Amino acid sequence: MTCQAIGGTAVDPAELAGQWAGALSRLPATGDSVGRELTGPVDRLVQALGADPFDADAATEVGVRLVETVTAALAGGARLAAVERTLATSEARSGALFRSAAVGLLVSAREGVVTEVNAAASRILGRREDELVGVPLAELVHPRERDAVLACYTELLDNGEESRRLRERTRLLRADGDPVWVHLAVSVLRDTAGRPDSLVTLVQDVSHVHLLEQQLSYQGTHDPLTGLANRHAFIGKLEESLGGTTPASVLHLNLDAFSVINHGLGWKVGDELLRAVAAKLTEVLGDDPACVARFGADEFAVLLRPGPDVAALAQRINAALAEPTYVDSHGVAASATIAVARDIAPGTDPVELLCATAIVLRTLKSRGRGQWGLVDPAVDRTRRAQLRLAASVPGAWEGGQIQVCHRPIVALADRRVASVQASLRWLHPELGLLDHRACLRAIAETGFGLRIGRWLLGEAARQVAAAGPDAPRLYLELTKEEAVDPDLVAWVRTALADAGLAPGRLDLGFPVLALHAPDNPAEDNLEVLAELGIGIVLYGYGAASRDLTYLDSLPLRAVRLVSSVASWVSANSESGLPAVMAARGLVPLVRASGLSMIVGSLRTAQEVAWWAEVGVDLGEGAVFGEPGGLAEVIRL
């Protein structure tokens, strides 16, 4: 049988079927199954083509479409087979990775039962793999973490977001009941319809990391020597306490003369004493709710809730610290100076509070040892203002706010300017003009005393030298710090040489208190400077009976009566009181030794006349004018 194809070409159906069968046989082997499935339809088509009546053009078109369909189907079958092979390979690889992964893997059904587990998870949990399959996931979580973790699992299953993940650090339970810290990363596995089907949990053992963090946290909040809380932890506790509504109290302690132990017996003994102090503080506080801390070195602090009598507690602490601690046969003990902030109002800044207690400690230390005192807000404000002023000294000096000025030392007999005393004044932008004493008080709080003192001498010497040979002598009073400075002689000589001022035109005042220093460094400096031709004035004179011994033992040019005595005597000169008579009797003794005597703080002409009558030859004070520039003073 033949048929007429499109274009008039004769087509044999049997030949066409053979061509199709050959085409099918030439397709890849992966398509064999598809080809066999299509052989039946092809045979039926051949039979259909033999029917009569027969439309050759339609049959040819149907045949072409069938060949195209068959070819596409076979190609799709080839791709499907390739995908199946890739999927099988991927499943094999995934299974191998699942079994050999270094991190633990748990697969659990929606109901929360473990269905698959790998060797790493088995090791982490201390159970065999077959023991874990079928176990409810809840049994593997630490009881304290169980509710929170299971709630996260439930939320993960109920949430429709495709990218939803759970990452959590928690504790699981080993077979022996010991907890193990792990990091969980949980993802949802979905079925072909996209519905949550199961959960896969990645389990990473982070016990060593957790332990390290705990150690670092402890070290960051505790003193390594005593085990007490450190400053950082104490401030946190204090901030927490002051954030509430109940007032609290703080004891800030500093051990007295702890360096005696450290330097005398060694740091080992000192460390043992610090441990003993920590133990005694904890013991004294007993059951009182408190936080005891060591801030470092020999500094401790205690935070107390309301209740204890802080005064009695301070006394009990010092009584306990006084009990000797024996280290290498040495019985050592301590006393403490204690600043107390009582009933601190909630909302107080912790750092500012500790600054206030530190200021009180510093004040108490200057008075003695084993003392305690309360933080007084008014006193604290005043002291803070003084410290702020001191802190601004370097910038003020660098910026030219601190200047050299002069005040006249006048011969009382004829009102002639015998010398000019160099002093400081501070043109403060907020406080106005600060005099020499205010400058010295501020500078004394800093480490700039020697530097500013040297600058003052150099600048004053330069000004006096520039005023010419007829200018008065220069007088400058050294502080105690300057008087005992081992470099004093060297920097005085340098200042005079740089300024071009002869030593004989300079008088230096030494404070009497500097002569009381051990090893007599001030006396050594004094004697060397006197040999250079510099006049020596002893100021602060007359406060003690032993001052009389200096008249004959030191190479002096003059003495200056202590300011407090001079002011009091001036105010009570007509009273006839014993102290006035004593001061009046002191003047002839000084003058008989061939020395001049200076009295300061003179305010009225009557005071000047009284001291001149007594025998004093030199005076200084407001009665002779305010401190000013050298030219102004010379014009007097």
Side-chain angles (χ1 to χ4, degrees), residues 282-438:
T282 305
E283 182 181 357
V284 167
L285 290 167
D287 296 330
D288 290 338
C291 173
V292 184
R294 180 187 176 217
F295 285 178
D298 54 357
E299 195 175 356
F300 295 81
V302 177
L303 171 62
L304 292 172
R305 292 294 186 183
D309 181 346
V310 291
L313 180 58
Q315 295 174 3
R316 291 204 310 272
I317 287 174
N318 263 322
L321 296 183
E323 291 293 328
T325 297
Y326 287 90
V327 183
D328 295 338
S329 74
H330 299 291
V332 293
S335 65
T337 299
I338 306 174
V340 179
R342 185 167 55 190
D343 298 333
I344 311 160
T348 303
D349 184 272
V351 176
E352 289 297 311
L353 173 66
L354 292 178
C355 285
T357 57
I359 290 172
V360 173
L361 272 180
R362 186 175 181 179
T363 303
L364 292 173
K365 282 279 191 180
S366 66
R367 299 175 184 171
R369 299 174 180 175
Q371 300 188 37
W372 73 275
L374 291 171
V375 172
D376 184 322
V379 174
D380 181 61
R381 286 192 294 271
T382 301
R383 185 63 178 137
R384 292 288 186 97
Q386 294 171 346
L387 293 177
R388 283 195 295 271
L389 184 65
S392 63
V393 163
W397 179 39
E398 180 71 21
Q401 295 178 16
I402 297 179
Q403 302 174 350
V404 177
C405 65
H406 299 271
R407 63 184 68 191
I409 304 294
V410 176
L412 300 186
D414 56 8
R415 303 297 178 92
R416 173 182 53 86
V417 177
S419 60
V420 289
Q421 180 178 349
S423 57
L424 297 170
R425 64 181 176 187
W426 186 343
L427 304 179
H428 197 281
E430 298 175 2
L431 303 177
L433 180 63
L434 302 178
D435 63 14
H436 183 68
R437 290 183 180 179

Side-chain angles (χ1 to χ4, degrees), residues 221-235:
T221 57
H222 288 76
D223 171 52
L225 179 65
T226 63
L228 297 177
N230 61 14
R231 179 188 292 269
H232 177 75
F234 186 86
I235 290 176

